[in-house]
Amino acid sequence: MKNGNEYLDAIRRLAVTIGMSISEMPHNRENALCCGYGGLYNDGKIANVVRAALIKRKDMAASGKKNVVSYCPGCHLVNHYFQPGYKSYYLLEDVLLALGDPVTEPFSIFYRRLARPHMAWNLASVSKSAFL
């Protein structure tokens, strides 16, 4: 897991460099819990994303923190929409802000697409079992 740990350490160094303090959740590094967003594309079941989000919520509660930063856009979106009471930050946006680049519409294209009511219908029409 040498390359994996080097990558994860680089992500943490980047966050610390722009002024974030890092505290790990109970499941981290190679034991981290997947947000489930990527899994949606494996089997098309939104229920699996929700199930993973519930597990992640327990991990977030155990950390004792109310702010979470993600370098994965899927994790950020799942945390944003499925973790009420927690504030989700997307690391790339924070890096851009630290460099002086304005982020006027955070992750705007993803938020706009997911906020449309017909998205769930479209997912369901692709796979009848998407919500099971």
Side-chain angles (χ1 to χ4, degrees), residues 47-62:
N48 288 339
V49 174
V50 173
R51 200 173 0 261
L54 292 172
I55 294 169
K56 179 66 84 173
R57 184 169 186 78
K58 290 178 185 174
D59 223 21
M60 292 166 74

Side-chain angles (χ1 to χ4, degrees), residues 33-53 72-75 78 123 127 129-132:
L33 296 172
C34 177
C35 65
Y37 191 78
L40 176 64
Y41 296 106
N42 282 336
D43 63 12
K45 296 185 187 299
I46 293 174
N48 288 339
V49 174
V50 173
R51 200 173 0 261
C72 165
C75 286
V78 170
L123 284 171
S127 171
S129 63
F131 295 100
L132 302 177

Side-chain angles (χ1 to χ4, degrees), residues 60-101:
M60 292 166 74
S63 76
K65 307 292 181 182
K66 290 293 182 183
N67 296 299
V68 62
V69 64
S70 303
Y71 65 92
C72 165
C75 286
H76 171 61
L77 289 174
V78 170
N79 290 334
H80 177 78
Y81 286 106
F82 292 101
Q83 306 299 357
Y86 294 92
K87 176 73 175 157
S88 181
Y89 296 90
Y90 182 47
L91 182 59
L92 181 55
E93 288 178 357
D94 292 320
V95 169
L96 291 172
L97 289 170
L99 294 172
D101 291 331

Side-chain angles (χ1 to χ4, degrees), residues 8 11 14-15 18-19 27-28 38 46 53 67 69 85-86 91 105 107-108 116 122 127:
L8 296 171
I11 297 291
L14 178 61
I18 63 169
H27 296 95
N28 60 70
I46 293 174
N67 296 299
V69 64
Y86 294 92
L91 182 59
E105 293 186 48
F107 224 8
S108 60
R116 294 179 184 157
N122 289 344
S127 171

